Amino acid sequence: MATQVDVVIMAAGKGTRMKSLRPKVLHRLAGKPLVNHVIDCATRLQARRAVVITGHQAEQVEAALAPLAMGALPLQFVRQMPQLGTGHAVQQAVPVLDDDGVTLVLSGDVPLTQADTLHALLQVCDGQHLALLTLDLPDPTGYGRIVRGPGEVVQAIVEHKDASEEQRRIAEIYSGIMAVPTRLLRGWLARLDNQNAQGEYYLTDIVKFAVADGLPVLAHRIHDALQVAGINSPAQLAELERAHQRRVAEALLEQGVRLADPARLDVRGALTCGQDVEIDINCVFEGAVSLGDGVRIGAHCVVANAQIAAGAVIHPFTHIDGEKLGVTVGEGALIGPFARLRPGAELGADVHIGNFVEVKNSTLAAGAKANHLAYLGDATVGERVNYGAGSITANYDGANKHRTVIEADVHIGSNCVLVAPVTIGAGGTVGGGSTITKDTPAGALSVARGKQLSVPNWARPQKAPKKA
Ligand code: UD1
Ligand code: MG
């Protein structure tokens, strides 16, 4: 069996340049906190555990991650107070690590590393070597440089501030990610000092101990800088967000999805698309969204936690959010423009939902239509129902929610109030402007409004003449 992997995630740093009250690692990329990206990656690696090193705003970071403790990857926290460098950070974690494993060191502010890359690094480590993830940068300023000796053998990582002019010309940098057998790491960390330009305990100094002990240090050199890009400022966060979204868009295009503009798409979750899906500009997808074959999404839609079946069309400016309950849109349905589908909206095939119509926790059977300015909450709507403009279900009595049942083939006129709980019998018609408080029989016309009255030759009141 392969060596077990324990992931250590450094997240104690201050993040001053974010200029935010929120801890840096809790800022979001693609809708997800930076550190959660790192944890998700560790989960995909099937690590044995993850140890998160917290320091600055530790309580907030730990509280935000607490719900994940129930997840697939056992999560532990250790605190680093004060923060005396990356070596000091990892020193706080080693007491909870087991010597039989490999420690994979990651940073909570480096969100886009792919599991495949880390897997390759772990292969290089092979349970016995110190393995560094490195890459060449056109401008390596600020990074630790990989110093190689005869035969390209790695000899040291020299931090920028400690480097000579000659060393500063080295383009190969240490990414901040390494894999190291835990028992070796433990010994090397015990030998660290802070005699350097920054007066910090550098994790990177373990390289020189490995070399001194005659153990090879291996580098896994990659070319994709995005995977190791760290976030220090809002500008870097925005830049990485765009770069990430661009990749997501390219993958969708590659799959055959027609994006009107790959630069104007935001996916903050998992978007799955069938064949011949078209997405117009400026759409945002959140949580788990699936779009069936031939679905078209108009410009400026927000679609979250929803399943849209084949052939459905979502017209521009529609907002769909299923939150925890989800939203389903049936085959061939037409939604929007300016529609709002809320949690628990379940729309059957060929349903039409028009402008300024809100649907919440309601099922609409095939062919039902609500085309203008309406509210359907906690309703069960039968096939082919036509729900008139301006009509609403009064589902809330101030204390409890009640259901409205509208049976098949009912016509609800304009501007009706259906006071729940109430059932409109199949095939019935409700006259416009009615406030319906009692069940109506099938097939009946039900009207509940003041009778029309006309006073003939009505003389309008006149204004009193102005006083002189
Ligand atoms: C570090 C590396 C450098 C590498 C660079 C890649 C060291 C000494 N240097 O530099 O070789 O090129 O990363 O980005 O390791 N942190 C703590 N506690 C601390 C200090 C830092 O948890 O006491 C955390 C930070 O929050 C951050 C990570 O460690 O997530 C890296 O710290 P940072 O200060 O960005 O590293 P550098 O010194 O820039
Ligand atoms: Mg630093």
Side-chain angles (χ1 to χ4, degrees), residues 58-359:
E59 292 84 359
Q60 272 170 273
V61 176
E62 291 167 14
L65 294 180
L68 292 183
M70 305 302 196
L73 177 68
L75 205 60
Q76 271 172 276
F77 299 100
V78 298
R79 290 211 182 163
Q80 182 200 16
M81 307 274 199
Q83 293 80 37
L84 303 178
T86 52
H88 178 252
V90 180
Q91 277 173 349
Q92 314 310 304
V94 282
V96 305
L97 302 177
D98 298 314
D99 272 346
D100 64 344
V102 160
T103 297
L104 177 64
V105 178
L106 304 175
S107 286
D109 57 1
V110 178
L112 296 183
T113 320
Q114 284 164 17
D116 284 354
T117 301
L118 297 179
H119 196 73
L121 179 71
L122 288 164
Q123 304 278 143
V124 171
C125 167
D126 195 24
Q128 46 186 329
H129 308 297
L130 170 54
L132 310 172
L133 190 67
T134 75
L135 84 165
D136 288 20
L137 287 182
D139 176 14
T141 308
Y143 291 93
R145 306 300 205 286
I146 304 295
V147 178
R148 291 176 185 258
E152 292 293 287
V153 172
V154 175
Q155 291 190 316
I157 299 174
V158 180
E159 292 305 308
H160 182 89
K161 287 189 177 146
D162 301 283
S164 65
E165 277 308 310
E166 194 189 338
Q167 287 169 333
R168 286 182 183 185
R169 283 196 289 274
I170 299 172
E172 189 185 7
I173 61 111
Y174 168 55
S175 66
I177 295 174
M178 64 168 69
V180 48
T182 304
R183 79 196 146 78
L184 299 175
L185 174 68
R186 195 185 303 277
W188 292 330
L189 286 176
R191 287 152 70 180
L192 289 182
D193 63 42
N194 62 354
Q195 303 302 302
N196 53 54
Q198 303 184 80
E200 286 182 9
Y201 294 88
Y202 290 165
L203 175 62
T204 45
D205 277 351
I206 70 170
V207 172
K208 69 184 184 208
F209 300 140
V211 171
D213 292 354
L215 293 170
V217 180
L218 305 175
H220 177 55
R221 206 166 179 167
I222 61 166
H223 303 284
D224 179 9
L226 276 192
Q227 287 198 45
V228 295
I231 306 285
N232 294 299
S233 66
Q236 287 173 349
L237 179 57
E239 204 179 308
L240 208 57
E241 175 81 40
R242 276 342 304 156
H244 169 70
Q245 293 298 347
R246 187 75 201 198
R247 283 195 176 179
V248 171
E250 272 155 20
L252 289 167
L253 290 169
E254 191 60 37
Q255 231 182 277
V257 177
R258 261 121 46 212
L259 301 175
D261 182 356
R264 284 181 289 173
L265 171 78
D266 285 84
V267 179
R268 301 172 189 156
L271 172 64
T272 51
C273 295
Q275 204 169 23
D276 285 313
V277 166
E278 294 182 20
I279 300 174
D280 210 334
I281 58 163
N282 289 342
C283 292
V284 179
F285 297 91
E286 295 175 345
V289 174
S290 72
L291 307 179
D293 293 346
V295 164
R296 284 192 285 140
I297 309 285
H300 307 283
C301 289
V302 175
V303 183
N305 307 300
Q307 287 177 281
I308 316 290
V313 179
I314 313 295
H315 289 295
F317 297 101
T318 290
H319 186 270
I320 298 177
D321 190 354
E323 294 175 27
K324 289 194 176 72
L325 285 176
V327 163
T328 56
V329 174
E331 284 191 20
L334 303 179
I335 313 297
F338 299 101
R340 181 169 185 214
L341 304 183
R342 293 176 50 206
E346 291 177 28
L347 314 185
D350 302 311
V351 162
H352 293 187
I353 299 294
N355 40 227
F356 308 107
V357 174
E358 173 182 350
V359 181

Side-chain angles (χ1 to χ4, degrees), residues 1-9 37-52 68-69 71-76 97-98 100-106 115-116 118-119 122 178-179 182:
M1 209 185 107
T3 315
Q4 296 272 14
V5 178
D6 295 325
V7 172
V8 169
I9 301 172
H37 284 269
V38 181
I39 290 169
D40 287 352
C41 183
T43 308
R44 281 195 287 280
L45 282 174
Q46 297 184 300
R48 171 165 61 182
R49 63 160 80 83
V51 181
V52 182
L68 292 183
L73 177 68
L75 205 60
Q76 271 172 276
L97 302 177
D98 298 314
D100 64 344
V102 160
T103 297
L104 177 64
V105 178
L106 304 175
D116 284 354
L118 297 179
H119 196 73
L122 288 164
M178 64 168 69
T182 304

